[in-house]
């Protein structure tokens, strides 16, 4: 019996040593595993840069701060589908951490709850896709990308994949034809398999290069996070710069972003373009203001 307890003690010590040695990996895996299970994330989304390896888009040396407009207070209630709902209850129910409203380029409402704050970075999830596609648009304007060419013409790694022979335009419109399942509750879905690269490490580029085709390109529009990841490879190959470097030069600094922002990267230092941006509410809102003005800034 003593030998059994001694052996058990050794095993426990070894497990403790392994857990300590790989504590960062354990924390990341636990966080990633919780993403699609309805777990409250306000204690995680504000500190992603502390949990994962990241690159940095530095704040502008000439930060732009929106002028204050006439304050617009939120209504106390609103009606949706015939039901009256208390606004404070709704914000609490949805774990809203930041709420910022602009009108005609002026800030008329700014409110933070939970772990949010004016200088607190927050995980973008798919809002990152809008920043990436804006970068693609700028590269098109600079003559670096022709959206009527095919993906592998710029990214040789994609030859033989679902993206081989697919026009960039079709990928931008999420009609690449690549097989994709965004069912978060299915462990075998593509989104969960891509999520395991986040949790356990690996190459997002290899993941994208291994995707198979399901539909003829340009025939079916379907939300596909891997399409954005493939476009991240396109931007990098076309510009010769990382997503971080290119967007810092073309978006982050020109728009006068007030804070550093962070991109989660994979084991090959490739940005997770489909969801991995972390920025403040004020800086996110600048992209919205840019689009409101059809690409004209100030």
């Amino acid at each position: 019996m003593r030998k059994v307890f001694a052996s058990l003690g050794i095993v426990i010590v070894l497990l403790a040593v392994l857990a300590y040695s790989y504590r960062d990996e354990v924390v990341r895996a636990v966080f990633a595993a919780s993403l699609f299970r309805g777990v409250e994330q306000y204690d995680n989304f504000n500190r992603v840069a502390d949990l994962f390896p990241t690159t940095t888009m530095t704040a502008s040396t000439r930060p732009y701060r929106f002028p204050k407009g006439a304050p617009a207070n939120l209504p106390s209630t609103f009606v949706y589908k015939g039901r009256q709902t208390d606004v404070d209850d709704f914000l609490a129910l949805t774990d809203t951490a930041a709420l910022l409203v602009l009108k005609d380029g002026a800030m008329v409402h700014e409110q933070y709850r939970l772990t949010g704050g004016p200088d607190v970075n927050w995980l973008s999830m798919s809002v990152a896709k809008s920043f990436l596609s804006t970068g693609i648009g700028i590269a098109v304007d600079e003559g670096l990308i022709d959206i009527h060419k095919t993906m592998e013409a710029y990214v040789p790694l994609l030859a033989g994949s679902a993206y081989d022979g697919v026009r960039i335009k079709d990928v931008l419109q999420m009609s690449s034809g690549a097989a994709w399942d965004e069912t978060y509750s299915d462990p075998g879905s593509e989104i969960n398999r891509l999520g395991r690269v986040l949790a356990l490490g690996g190459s997002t580029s290899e993941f994208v290069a291994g995707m198979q085709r399901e539909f003829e390109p340009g025939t079916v529009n379907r939300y596909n996070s891997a399409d954005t990841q493939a476009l991240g490879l396109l931007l990098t190959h076309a510009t010769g710069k990382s997503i971080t470097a290119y967007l810092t030069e073309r978006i982050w600094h020109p728009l006068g972003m007030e804070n550093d922002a962070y991109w989660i990267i994979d084991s090959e230092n490739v940005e997770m373009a489909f969801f991995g941006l972390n920025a403040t509410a004020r800086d996110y809102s600048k992209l919205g203001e840019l689009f409101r003005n059809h690409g004209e800034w100030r």
Side-chain angles (χ1 to χ4, degrees):
M1 184 64 70
R2 290 180 180 176
K3 290 182 178 180
V4 172
F5 281 119
S7 298
L8 183 60
I10 291 172
V11 170
I12 292 174
V13 170
L14 288 174
L15 289 174
V17 171
L18 286 172
Y20 181 78
S21 300
Y22 294 95
R23 58 190 181 280
D24 291 342
E25 288 80 359
V26 171
V27 170
R28 293 171 198 162
V30 170
F31 167 62
S34 73
L35 278 175
F36 307 137
R37 295 181 179 175
V39 177
E40 292 179 342
Q41 296 291 354
Y42 55 81
D43 284 327
N44 291 324
F45 283 5
N46 64 318
R47 61 187 188 103
V48 169
D50 297 327
L51 300 176
F52 293 92
T54 59
T55 56
T56 303
M57 294 196 296
T58 58
S60 173
T61 57
R62 301 178 62 187
Y64 177 72
R65 295 177 176 85
F66 289 110
K68 295 290 182 67
N73 295 321
L74 297 179
S76 58
T77 62
F78 66 93
V79 177
Y80 179 67
K81 292 186 175 180
R83 178 184 175 185
Q84 185 163 285
T85 300
D86 183 90
V87 169
D88 284 335
D89 289 346
F90 176 76
L91 294 177
L93 176 67
T94 54
D95 290 338
T96 298
L99 179 59
L100 188 154
V101 181
L102 300 176
K103 182 179 180 182
D104 298 327
M107 187 186 302
V108 298
H109 186 86
E110 186 177 31
Q111 179 183 149
Y112 297 98
R113 294 165 171 247
L114 302 173
T115 55
D119 298 319
V120 175
N121 281 279
W122 204 263
L123 179 62
S124 68
M125 302 302 282
S126 288
V127 173
K129 294 179 171 70
S130 295
F131 282 84
L132 191 283
S133 62
T134 302
I136 295 284
I138 294 170
V140 169
D141 191 56
E142 292 180 338
L144 301 175
I145 293 175
D146 180 349
I147 64 171
H148 299 290
K149 288 186 176 180
T150 57
M151 292 289 287
E152 85 286 351
Y154 291 89
V155 189
L157 176 67
L158 297 180
S161 75
Y163 297 97
D164 192 353
V166 180
R167 294 184 308 167
I168 294 165
K169 178 181 179 180
D170 290 327
V171 184
L172 284 166
Q173 294 179 331
M174 287 193 173
S175 58
S176 66
W180 185 259
D181 182 358
E182 190 109 0
T183 303
Y184 300 114
S185 59
D186 180 1
S189 67
E190 278 81 10
I191 187 60
N192 272 295
R193 292 196 293 111
L194 183 55
R196 283 195 280 277
V197 177
L198 166 72
L200 305 176
S203 169
T204 53
S205 302
E206 287 183 8
F207 181 95
V208 170
M211 292 184 65
Q212 303 298 310
R213 181 170 299 168
E214 183 175 1
F215 300 107
E216 185 66 23
T219 63
V220 176
N221 291 97
R222 179 173 57 185
Y223 192 84
N224 186 335
S225 290
D227 280 358
T228 305
Q229 195 62 36
L231 290 169
L233 288 175
L234 167 69
L235 185 65
T236 296
H237 281 73
T239 64
K241 298 177 180 179
S242 67
I243 293 173
T244 299
Y246 189 74
L247 296 192
T248 297
E249 294 176 2
R250 299 297 192 273
I251 297 177
W252 218 249
H253 288 173
L255 295 189
M257 300 303 195
E258 300 171 52
N259 295 93
D260 289 351
Y262 307 95
W263 281 99
I264 301 174
I265 53 176
D266 68 10
S267 298
E268 296 180 341
N269 297 323
V270 173
E271 294 89 346
M272 293 191 174
F274 66 101
F275 96 121
L277 176 62
N278 298 266
T280 64
R282 291 178 179 180
D283 286 341
Y284 280 130
S285 68
K286 292 186 175 76
L287 189 73
E289 180 66 6
L290 177 71
F291 272 76
R292 187 183 73 85
N293 287 294
H294 308 289
E296 297 287 340
W297 181 246
R298 299 179 65 189

